Amino acid sequence: MKLETMVLGPLETNCYLLWDEQTMEAAVIDPGASGQKIADRLAQNGLMLRMILLTHAHFDHIGGLQQLHELTGAPVWVSKIDSTDPAEMTHGRLIFTNTYEDGDELTLGHIKIHVIATPGHTPGLCCLYLPKEEIFFTSDHILFDITPNIQVWYHMKQALQRYLESLQKVRDFPVQLALPG
């Protein structure tokens, strides 16, 4: 397994290229901007993009989505919950072909990717977990050196409660590497 981080867009969102070195199949996690730049990097590494994975649908995580999808035709995954509320979060930029929910598992070559629902920052935010490698893509659920922005998507008390429940849920995962959005 190989992993590369690209820092993209005006908000410097982390975009991750993940690939299986045996099959050269790749996934892009959160194409924050510059779809062409991401496609060029995939080509430089000789990778076949098999999936684009969105941890949530905020505009800073999907700025390069449409262009990357048009260039590659790769399927785009987003949480079922975030797929239903694009107007507020996405500024009209969300496109997707598939949805996932808590507990779903995706396969990329020999890599297993587990979907972990972690509402709080958005109602449908999902972290992605690679159990064999013990890598946790935390997105904007857990950020380093700052307090995450908890979206007031219903009532502040309810949003905070869901966020705290999500923190408890991921607390005991064995993690060697945590990667923020």
Side-chain angles (χ1 to χ4, degrees), residues 105-173:
E105 180 181 279
L106 304 174
T107 301
L108 176 70
H110 299 95
I111 302 167
K112 301 294 183 197
I113 304 167
H114 291 223
V115 178
I116 313 297
T118 53
H121 181 67
T122 69
L125 187 134
C126 290
C127 292
L128 302 172
Y129 181 64
L130 283 55
K132 180 179 175 189
E133 297 82 2
E134 295 185 349
I135 296 174
F136 210 88
F137 296 91
T138 66
S139 183
D140 290 352
H141 179 60
I142 301 171
L143 299 169
F144 301 110
D145 296 330
I146 63 172
T147 301
N149 174 14
I150 299 169
Q151 289 284 314
V152 183
W153 32 269
Y154 295 116
H155 181 276
M156 183 58 179
K157 185 176 180 182
Q158 183 182 17
L160 179 58
Q161 182 62 36
R162 293 295 305 269
Y163 177 72
L164 294 173
E165 289 168 4
S166 294
L167 283 176
Q168 184 66 31
K169 179 179 182 178
V170 302
R171 193 178 131 223
D172 294 326
F173 276 80

Side-chain angles (χ1 to χ4, degrees), residues 50-57 65 69 73-84 94-101 104-106 115 124 126:
R50 294 292 186 225
M51 58 184 76
I52 302 169
L53 306 175
L54 307 178
T55 58
H56 64 295
L65 174 61
H69 178 67
V76 179
W77 292 80
V78 68
S79 78
K80 188 173 186 177
I81 295 170
D82 276 2
S83 74
T84 61
L94 179 63
I95 58 168
F96 61 93
T97 58
N98 303 71
T99 61
Y100 43 56
E101 298 181 81
D104 285 352
E105 180 181 279
L106 304 174
V115 178
C126 290

